[in-house]
Structures are given as C-alpha cells and as structure tokens.
C-alpha cells in the first residue's frame, strides 16, 4: 500500500476483554515497530520486528501484551484482559532497511479506550 | 522519557515569526529524528540527523545536531498556520536502532 495502515482506527473495549490491533506495513519494509502513546506524551517503544523475528520486546508492559508478525509482513498486537491503563494510541511504524537509520513511516494509530 | 527532554512544552507564535524547539539527551545520540504530529494522527517524518554538527533544512524548517551529539534544535522561519501541531524528537540512544526514545513533544500554536 501507499503507507502504513492500521486497523481499527478506534476501539472501545470493556475491561477484561481481549483486543487485537493490526498493522499493515509498507510493502517490502523489513522492520516494524509498535509504540504506545498516552495522552499528552511522546510514543513509548513496545516491540520491534525484523522480518518475522521479534528482536526486541523489552517495552511490552506486561505479559498481557503479545505481538506477532508470522510472515514478515502484517503484524498484530494483542492485549489480553485489557485494563484501563491500557487506554492509549497504539502506533505502528515500518522502515525499508534493517533499523531506524533511514526514514521511518508511521501509521495513523489505533486509539484504544478501555471502559 | 526522562532521557530525552524537549523544551518548551508548548509555545504560541505569531504568524511570520520564528520559533525554536530544543531536544536534549543525557546520553550520546546515535541518531536523532524530528516528527510532526497533529492531534489524533500518526507521526510525519521531518528530518533525521546522525553526525555531530550536522544541519539539514527543508523548506522553512532547519534542524541541527550539536557536535557532542547530545542536543538538537528545530528552527522554523517565518511560521505559517500549517506549522501548527506537535513536534516530537525521537532518538536512538544505543546502537540498537530499533528502539527510539521520544520526547514528550512541543505543541506549537500559530496565531494570525
């Protein structure tokens, strides 16, 4: 596609519900990143994939968060048993080469609200 | 992120005036990125700096990385309403480029 596509754009979940957020990176982009952005804050790193390999997941806040990219293209961020503190915008970014030493393209984000 | 401080937190500038945003790190930067974000939207890439002393310009926006690679500034000349938004600096603080630290952002308002 022309850019990084994320879906859904908005998600309201009841506390305790599981959610899955999807990221379609730019075709051919090797690296994919997930970030969490709370209101009024900068994005916080969650996890990083190079192709299908998850090279860094140090930013995932708890074992309720799980990300995958099984075929090295589309990625899914799953949050189990959502809590109110999970409410945030989840941003996905992709880059052509192996890392960020090149331009990184961000999607529009998924705004998750846990009620 | 406490490792990356952005200032000011917000600023109001009259159309046609210049503005400067600073981004300071407590660690040496392997790379520094400037992004712009409008409320509720994704990040738009502006510029990337890697080398100490590097300076890049695009239209009316200039970004610099100091020689020690611990501070960057973003300067907008003759601001326009289209320059309004949130400016974020993001930095690679290790040679593992996959993990960027972002500042909290600077909200820019341009008044007529």
């Amino acid at each position: 596609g022309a850019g990084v596509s994320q879906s859904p754009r908005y998600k309201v979940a009841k506390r305790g519900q599981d959610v899955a957020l999807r990221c379609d990176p730019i075709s051919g982009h090797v690296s994919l990143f997930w970030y969490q952005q709370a209101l009024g804050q900068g994005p916080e790193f969650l996890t990083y994939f190079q192709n299908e390999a998850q090279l860094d997941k140090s930013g995932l806040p708890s074992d309720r968060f799980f990300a995958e990219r099984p075929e090295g293209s589309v990625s899914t961020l799953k949050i189990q048993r959502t809590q109110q503190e999970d409410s945030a915008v989840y941003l996905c970014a992709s880059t052509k080469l192996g890392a960020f030493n090149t331009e990184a393209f961000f999607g529009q984000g998924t705004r998750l609200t846990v009620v | 992120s406490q490792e990356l401080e952005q200032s000011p937190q917000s600023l109001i500038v009259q159309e046609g005036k210049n503005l400067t945003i600073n981004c300071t790190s407590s660690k040496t930067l392997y790379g520094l990125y400037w992004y712009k974000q409008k409320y509720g939207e994704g990040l738009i890439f502006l510029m990337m700096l890697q080398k100490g002393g590097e300076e890049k310009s695009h239209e009316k926006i200039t970004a610099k990385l100091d020689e020690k690679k611990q501070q960057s500034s973003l300067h907008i000349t003759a601001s326009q309403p289209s320059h309004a938004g949130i400016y974020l600096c993001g930095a690679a603080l290790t040679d593992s480029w996959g993990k960027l630290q972002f500042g909290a952002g600077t909200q820019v308002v341009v008044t007529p």
Side-chain angles (χ1 to χ4, degrees):
Chain A
V4 178
S5 177
Q6 290 187 247
S7 61
R9 283 292 312 277
Y10 304 93
K11 176 70 179 177
V12 178
K14 290 186 178 177
R15 194 171 54 178
Q17 188 179 351
D18 296 350
V19 297
L21 313 180
R22 178 187 169 105
C23 173
D24 272 280
I26 293 173
S27 179
H29 275 200
V30 169
S31 296
L32 185 146
F33 308 83
W34 282 99
Y35 284 81
Q36 180 191 58
Q37 187 175 24
L39 191 64
Q41 300 295 317
E44 295 280 343
F45 171 83
L46 292 177
T47 187
Y48 158 51
F49 290 87
Q50 188 162 321
N51 296 307
E52 69 278 5
Q54 190 173 19
L55 298 187
D56 189 338
K57 55 181 181 179
S58 61
L60 295 176
S62 78
D63 59 8
R64 296 186 295 104
F65 286 70
F66 173 75
E68 60 182 4
R69 194 186 184 198
E71 296 177 2
S73 177
V74 171
S75 178
T76 304
L77 177 67
K78 297 179 180 177
I79 308 173
Q80 297 177 321
R81 304 181 303 281
T82 52
Q83 303 294 316
Q84 279 194 313
E85 61 262 28
D86 299 336
S87 295
V89 175
Y90 291 85
L91 295 164
C92 175
S94 71
T95 67
K96 195 176 196 178
L97 300 176
F100 255 102
N101 51 345
T102 182
E103 182 175 347
F105 296 86
F106 278 80
Q108 296 226 337
T110 294
R111 182 176 297 276
L112 173 65
T113 304
V114 181
V115 298
Chain B
S1 165
Q2 293 181 339
E3 292 174 308
L4 210 59
E5 294 285 339
Q6 247 184 274
S7 62
Q9 209 169 13
S10 64
L11 66 93
I12 301 172
V13 62
Q14 192 175 24
E15 187 175 349
K17 299 294 186 184
N18 303 337
L19 67 97
T20 300
I21 301 168
N22 292 302
C23 181
T24 303
S25 170
S26 57
K27 297 181 179 180
T28 299
L29 304 171
Y30 285 79
L32 191 286
Y33 302 79
W34 284 101
Y35 287 90
K36 182 183 175 185
Q37 185 177 34
K38 293 206 167 177
Y39 180 75
E41 298 184 9
L43 278 62
I44 300 167
F45 174 83
L46 295 176
M47 267 170 274
M48 178 184 75
L49 304 165
Q50 281 185 261
K51 299 175 184 174
E54 188 174 8
E55 179 175 323
K56 287 187 178 178
S57 293
H58 177 67
E59 297 180 343
K60 294 187 178 181
I61 302 176
T62 300
K64 300 178 187 179
L65 182 61
D66 76 343
E67 290 288 344
K68 291 185 179 180
K69 294 172 62 175
Q70 286 191 266
Q71 185 169 14
S72 178
S73 61
L74 185 83
H75 184 78
I76 299 177
T77 305
S79 58
Q80 300 169 352
S82 60
H83 289 128
I86 299 168
Y87 290 81
L88 290 156
C89 65
L93 298 179
T94 71
D95 58 2
S96 172
W97 286 75
K99 188 174 180 176
L100 283 191
Q101 299 281 350
F102 280 90
T106 296
Q107 181 162 23
V108 172
V109 174
V110 180
T111 62

